[in-house]
Amino acid sequence: GENQIYSRKPPTAEGTLMTATEGALLPPISIMPATNVKIPGRWDPKYAQKFKEDVRRLDGVPGIVISEYVRESKLREQLKLLVFDLKGREKELGPQLADLKRDVGNFKEMKESLRESLRASAGDKRQELRAELKQVRAALANATYSMKSLSKELASLMMDVRKNMEFMAALPIVHMLNITAQESTIPFEKGRAMVPESAYPTLDSIAEAAKEMKPFRIVVEGHSDQSGSNWANTRLSKQRADAVAQYLRTKTALPRTLFVTKGMGSTRPLEEGDSPEVMARNRRVEIWFELRGL
């Protein structure tokens, strides 16, 4: 629905996982460039409480919809399951390897014992001992090969567990706050991209929240309805996103490097349909705050 961000694709995509059989490491997550904005300490309870209060204030502004999303949370859960499976396999192989090591030791003792007996025997007994020694040597070779193979597999599993846990620890936890302003909130003139004065109070509230929350990055997306050509819709939605970003930059005095603008055209409608009401809801600007430290 309109209030759920999970029906929309966030600005960044999630990676893919590594399996024990494939033996490939997870691809690195791209880290945003450093800025001069001070990022609050992660898990700071005072900051978390202040964040909730700021969200409540924003949510009370008429005409905007607030929704939240934790980026990479799905990937993090998949990583946890993968590590759990790998550790389970590791626990299974440990006792098997211990049994094989015992077998190798036993076969070595049997081989030495038979060789001693062989040196002290003669006649038919010697032939019998040679045949038995041949069998023990074959069993020892098989057990040694199995032990080495299992040792290699266990070492590989342990490396997979370590690499995936390191990757999971390195995943940036980024709280995404989505602020959606419908067409009625920022009533652009038809075919124009100038921010109307009637939208200033709402954008001022968003700018004040940005100064308080100190986002790591602010993404402004312009969206259009499906009327008109794709080229025209993409161009106009980008111009409107640029205009909103410029207004926010002026009001917040935040560095230009924090802002990214995108013209989405009609590629991500909130609702499907061509009624005037649906098309009006699809004409919107979405502002994403990327927040670290929550």
Side-chain angles (χ1 to χ4, degrees):
E2 187 175 333
N3 295 327
Q4 295 297 318
I5 199 166
Y6 305 103
S7 63
R8 283 171 275 164
K9 184 179 178 182
T12 57
E14 294 185 340
T16 55
L17 297 179
M18 170 179 71
T19 64
T21 54
E22 291 169 341
L25 294 181
L26 286 156
I29 293 291
S30 59
I31 306 299
M32 302 302 172
T35 69
N36 60 356
V37 174
K38 185 178 179 182
I39 301 170
R42 185 177 288 183
W43 313 122
D44 183 340
K46 291 182 180 179
Y47 180 68
Q49 181 60 36
K50 187 175 182 305
F51 167 78
K52 291 178 183 178
E53 293 171 0
D54 290 334
V55 170
R56 271 198 297 271
R57 279 196 294 272
L58 265 181
D59 210 24
V61 176
I64 67 174
V65 176
I66 304 292
S67 41
E68 299 176 46
Y69 172 87
V70 179
R71 202 178 75 199
E72 312 299 359
S73 59
K74 182 179 178 182
L75 178 57
R76 189 176 296 276
E77 289 304 314
Q78 290 176 320
L79 277 168
K80 286 181 181 177
L81 290 174
L82 177 59
V83 168
F84 179 80
D85 291 341
L86 289 173
K87 285 188 172 181
R89 179 64 177 152
E90 185 181 329
K91 287 182 180 179
E92 291 176 6
L93 293 184
Q96 293 179 33
L97 183 60
D99 289 342
L100 282 171
K101 286 180 178 179
R102 280 193 296 270
D103 289 344
V104 168
N106 290 336
F107 285 133
K108 284 181 177 179
E109 289 180 4
M110 290 172 64
K111 185 182 76 169
E112 291 304 317
S113 177
L114 285 169
R115 290 175 68 180
E116 287 292 329
S117 300
L118 186 61
R119 281 193 286 268
S121 63
D124 293 342
K125 183 64 176 176
R126 191 176 180 83
Q127 286 294 111
E128 183 181 330
L129 289 172
R130 279 177 176 169
E132 191 174 346
L133 181 59
K134 185 177 181 181
Q135 290 178 348
V136 169
R137 281 173 172 165
L140 176 59
N142 287 333
T144 302
Y145 176 80
S146 297
M147 182 184 70
K148 289 180 178 178
S149 298
L150 200 59
S151 294
K152 186 180 291 186
E153 183 180 353
L154 187 58
S156 177
L157 275 173
M158 292 172 70
M159 182 175 291
D160 285 350
V161 169
R162 182 176 61 82
K163 290 293 184 183
N164 280 290
M165 289 183 72
E166 287 176 355
F167 182 80
M168 183 164 55
L171 268 179
I173 299 174
V174 181
H175 198 99
M176 312 284 287
L177 185 69
N178 178 271
I179 306 162
T180 300
Q182 303 298 339
E183 185 201 43
S184 58
T185 308
I186 308 179
F188 290 102
E189 292 183 26
K190 187 174 179 61
R192 302 290 298 276
M194 184 178 293
V195 176
E197 289 187 15
S198 59
Y200 289 178
T202 300
L203 291 177
D204 288 346
S205 298
I206 296 172
E208 190 62 32
K211 287 192 290 185
E212 292 292 324
M213 294 181 182
K214 297 179 175 60
F216 189 75
R217 190 170 77 147
I218 298 175
V219 180
V220 183
E221 294 180 350
H223 298 260
S224 71
D225 60 36
Q226 65 269 39
S227 62
S229 69
N230 291 335
W231 179 86
N233 285 339
T234 301
R235 181 172 176 271
L236 182 59
S237 62
K238 177 67 163 63
Q239 289 173 339
R240 288 175 171 176
D242 288 340
V244 170
Q246 178 60 43
Y247 185 92
L248 294 176
R249 279 202 301 267
T250 301
K251 286 291 181 177
T252 61
L254 290 171
R256 179 181 292 270
T257 53
L258 259 67
F259 290 85
V260 176
T261 60
K262 298 181 180 181
M264 309 308 296
S266 59
T267 58
R268 293 186 191 166
L270 285 178
E271 298 180 36
E272 298 292 341
D274 56 3
S275 68
E277 294 80 14
V278 168
M279 292 175 74
R281 281 191 287 273
N282 288 335
R283 293 191 293 270
R284 68 196 189 279
V285 172
E286 292 192 15
I287 301 165
W288 294 79
F289 286 179
E290 294 191 10
L291 300 143
R292 305 247 177 129
L294 289 171

